[in-house]
Structures are given as structure tokens and as C-alpha cells.
């Protein structure tokens, strides 16, 4: 009997959960970071970052398919024992909780700056948490349906980024390849956190209805994210000069300020209000998986009480303290650095462990036959 059979998700839901986790806050700041590091060659760093993310994602699937009904917590417990499983649950809980807090706090900060400057931060946190908790407490299947719905509703968003190109200048990106390979390689380090989100595959795999489609799913999810990143990078580089783009904190939003209609001037505010739905597909899985890890620690089947506890704690903290810009950057750096280890290193380490385990088992079987 399948342990998670009652909560299975389709391939499309699998793709949209991973893709939604990647296209988050980083989309708003990526053009500035790429411009500072690699100039207009930043698009090459995106391609290299995509290749690394795809290879790592395929490695995750290769690891999880060995025990298709296990999450990574079950797998570590199976390989290394009970206490290693508990330690892994603590580590992943801390990672998901910290990532959730960082993404939520950054989203609240952006909302305050662009839309609700007079509204207390804790009120915005509360408004974001109410629908988030409703989805996060309901299980993977509901999360998958929500992520799929938001994806379909956001298909028109790329066309908004194309609209400002009527005032663009092709000379800003020429020559297309300037040969600053040192800057490109350095920029790859910045793209790696932008592709974070595929690590949820460690927890989604047991829920996937047709697990043989997992390889296809992770490739499509990462490729969709790469297309979005490339569109944002090229749109920003075409519109802004290389010196201008580095002056904006959120170049993507600033790019949309020039779009005007006879009945609407601040289109960027409308877009941001819609973009919050996309951001919610980044922070909602983080809250749900943090609750899942907490439930594994306590031995409870229902993760909902832990979702309430984590969300309530974050709201209580926001009443008394909300991070400054410097604090937000520290939170993002902490999330990025821990994500580089858990998302990019763990899959290869586990694959190596499984390969060594297979060799040991094969050797024992061979010795057993010889003794027999």
C-alpha cells in the first residue's frame, strides 16, 4: 500500500510546484545582480545555472527512485538510522522555516515600499499568512492544484515585460558575447540561489502519480524558470543602459512603471498585486514542508498544527520586530548559502552513498555464493 497514495499529484502539478518555488523574489533583483557582476553577459550565467540545476534535479530523482515511497527524511533514516533521520528533520525544518521567513519578509517589504507604505508590517504579514495557512495545512494535492491554477493565470505576465521594449535600444546588449568569462563564472554563483526550489523534489517524489515522469518534470520546471529569467534579463538590458540598471533596487518593477494606459497610470502597482500570487507559490510550499518536517519530529501524522505554530510564531515576531533592508539581505544570504549545501551538495552525496551501498551488497552476495 502506498503511504502517500491519498495525496498524489499529477505531473503538471509537480512541475508547477517546483517552477513556482524558483520564480520568486529573485526575479525582481536578478537583472541588477547580473549587471553588476557580468554586465550584459549575464544571460550566459543563467544558461549555466540552468544546466547545473537540471543536472542536480536529475540526481535528486535518481536518488529518490531507489525508494519511491520515501521522502528524503525516510531515506536518511533507512540508510543511517533513527537519530540521523531526526537530525535531518531538524536541519530541513530550520532550512524551510528560515526560507519561508526570508521570502515572506522580502515580499512584505516590497509591498510596503510600492503599495502600502502606511500599513504596519505585521498587518501585511497577517494578510499574507491567512490564505497561505489555508493552503499549506491542506496537503500536497491542494498545494499542487493551487500552484497549477496560479501558473495558468500567469501565462500572460511575460507579455507585460515585452511592452516596454518599444523604447529599447539594441546597442545596450551588443556585442552579445563580450568574453568576460570571469564575470560570467562569478555570476553563476548568483544564479544558483535563483534556481533554488527544485530541492522540494526530495519531498514531492513520493506523491507523484506517475513517478517515471519525474525526470521529464524536473527538466521542464527548470527550463520554464530559465525562460522567465532570460526574458527578464534581456528586457532589462535592452531598456536600461549597463550603468542605469545597477542603480535600481528592483529593476523589473521599475521597468513596468513606464507602461501607461488612458485609464491607468501606475501599472507597476497592478502588476505587483498580481505578482504576489506568484510569490505565494514560493513561500507556501516552504511553510507546508516546514510543517511536514516538524510533524516527523513529533511523530504526528497531521502537519497542520505545526503549520499553525510556525505561522503564528512568525506573526508574533513581526508584531515586535521587522527586519531592515540590511536584515533582509542577511536573511536572504543565510537562505542562499544553506540552500547551496542542501540543494546542490546533498543529492550527489546521497547518490555516492547509494552507489557504495550497492557495491557492498553486491560484494556480500558474491562472497555468499562462493562460500556456498
Amino acid at each position: 500500500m502506498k503511504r502517500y497514495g491519498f495525496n498524489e499529484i499529477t505531473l503538471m502539478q509537480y512541475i508547477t510546484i517546483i517552477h513556482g518555488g524558483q520564480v520568486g523574489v529573485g526575479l525582481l533583483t536578478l537583472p541588477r545582480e547580473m549587471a553588476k557582476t557580468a554586465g550584459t553577459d549575464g544571460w550566459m550565467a543563467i544558461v549555466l545555472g540552468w544546466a547545473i540545476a537540471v543536472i542536480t534535479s536529475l540526481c535528486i530523482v535518481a536518488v529518490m527512485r531507489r525508494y519511491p515511497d520515501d521522502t528524503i527524511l525516510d531515506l536518511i533514516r533507512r540508510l543511517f538510522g533513527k537519530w540521523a533521520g531526526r537530525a535531518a528533520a531538524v536541519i530541513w525544518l530550520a532550512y524551510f522555516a528560515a526560507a519561508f521567513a526570508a521570502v515572506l519578509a522580502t515580499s512584505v517589504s516590497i509591498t510596503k515600499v510600492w503599495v502600502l507604505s502606511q500599513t504596519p508590517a505585521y498587518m501585511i504579514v497577517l494578510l499574507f499568512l491567512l490564505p497561505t495557512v489555508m493552503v499549506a495545512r491542506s496537503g500536497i494535492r491542494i498545494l499542487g492544484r493551487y500552484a497549477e491554477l496560479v501558473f495558468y493565470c500567469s501565462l500572460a505576465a511575460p507579455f507585460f515585460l515585452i511592452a516596454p521594449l518599444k523604447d529599447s535600444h539594441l546597442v545596450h546588449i551588443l556585442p552579445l558575447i563580450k568574453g568576460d568569462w570571469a564575470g560570467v563564472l562569478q555570476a553563476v554563483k548568483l544564479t544558483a540561489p535563483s534556481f533554488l526550489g527544485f530541492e522540494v523534489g526530495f519531498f514531492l517524489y513520493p506523491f507523484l502519480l506517475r513517478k517515471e515522469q519525474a525526470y521529464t518534470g524536473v527538466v521542464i520546471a527548470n527550463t520554464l524558470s530559465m525562460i522567465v529569467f532570460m526574458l527578464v534579463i534581456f528586457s532589462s538590458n535592452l531598456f536600461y543602459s549597463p550603468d542605469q540598471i545597477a542603480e535600481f533596487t528592483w529593476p523589473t518593477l521599475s521597468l513596468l512603471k513606464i507602461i501607461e494606459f488612458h485609464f491607468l497610470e501606475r501599472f507597476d502597482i497592478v502588476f505587483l498585486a498580481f505578482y504576489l500570487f506568484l510569490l505565494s507559490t514560493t513561500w507556501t510550499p516552504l511553510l507546508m514542508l516546514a510543517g511536514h518536517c516538524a510533524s516527523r519530529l513529533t511523530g504526528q501524522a497531521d502537519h497542520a498544527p505545526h503549520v499553525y505554530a510556525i505561522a503564528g510564531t512568525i506573526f508574533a515576531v513581526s508584531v515586535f520586530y521587522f527586519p531592515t533592508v540590511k536584515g533582509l539581505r542577511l536573511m536572504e544570504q543565510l537562505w542562499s548559502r544553506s540552500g547551496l549545501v542542501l540543494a546542490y551538495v546533498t543529492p550527489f552525496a546521497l547518490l555516492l552513498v547509494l552507489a557504495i551501498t550497492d557495491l557492498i551488497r553486491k560484494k556480500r552476495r558474491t562472497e555468499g555464493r562462493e562460500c556456498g
Side-chain angles (χ1 to χ4, degrees), residues 257-285:
K257 289 182 68 175
I258 68 167
I259 301 178
E260 293 184 1
F261 300 97
H262 293 295
F263 56 90
L264 180 65
E265 292 186 359
R266 293 298 303 276
F267 180 79
D268 54 312
I269 294 180
V270 177
F271 180 84
L272 178 59
F274 172 76
Y275 189 68
L276 289 175
F277 285 99
L278 294 177
L279 290 175
S280 69
T281 61
T282 300
W283 72 59
T284 304

Side-chain angles (χ1 to χ4, degrees), residues 194-267:
S194 296
F195 280 100
L196 283 178
F198 62 81
E199 71 275 12
V200 301
F202 275 130
F203 295 86
L204 295 182
Y205 188 83
F207 300 92
L208 184 59
L209 182 60
R210 296 183 179 179
K211 295 178 174 54
E212 68 275 8
Q213 297 177 328
Y215 286 114
T216 303
V218 295
V219 173
I220 294 175
N222 283 283
T223 302
L224 287 173
S225 300
M226 181 197 68
I227 292 173
V228 174
F229 293 149
M230 293 285 279
L231 178 61
V232 170
I233 290 292
F234 274 113
S235 298
S236 300
N237 286 339
L238 283 168
F239 186 80
Y240 298 112
S241 69
D243 295 328
Q244 280 182 318
I245 194 171
E247 299 176 358
F248 295 94
T249 304
W250 298 299
T252 308
L253 287 177
S254 300
L255 183 67
L256 296 170
K257 289 182 68 175
I258 68 167
I259 301 178
E260 293 184 1
F261 300 97
H262 293 295
F263 56 90
L264 180 65
E265 292 186 359
R266 293 298 303 276
F267 180 79

Side-chain angles (χ1 to χ4, degrees), residues 116-145:
L116 303 174
S117 58
Q118 302 300 319
T119 305
Y122 68 88
M123 288 299 298
I124 303 176
V125 170
L126 179 62
L127 292 174
F128 286 175
L129 283 178
L130 290 177
T132 300
V133 168
M134 292 177 64
V135 176
R137 71 178 184 182
S138 302
I140 294 292
R141 177 175 292 179
I142 300 302
L143 174 64
R145 292 173 178 175

Side-chain angles (χ1 to χ4, degrees), residues 143-191:
L143 174 64
R145 292 173 178 175
Y146 176 72
E148 187 175 5
L149 174 65
V150 173
F151 174 77
Y152 289 136
C153 293
S154 64
L155 290 177
F159 295 100
F160 298 139
L161 295 174
I162 296 175
L165 295 185
K166 59 183 177 61
D167 298 319
S168 64
H169 302 280
L170 187 60
V171 69
H172 288 166
I173 64 170
L174 295 178
L176 196 60
I177 300 177
K178 297 179 177 60
D180 183 15
W181 299 110
V184 170
L185 293 177
Q186 187 177 356
V188 173
K189 299 179 182 178
L190 301 176
T191 64

Side-chain angles (χ1 to χ4, degrees), residues 334-355:
L334 176 63
W335 170 35
S336 299
R337 290 173 182 175
S338 58
L340 291 177
V341 176
L342 288 176
Y344 287 94
V345 177
T346 302
F348 295 99
L350 287 176
L351 195 62
L352 179 62
V353 169
L354 289 173

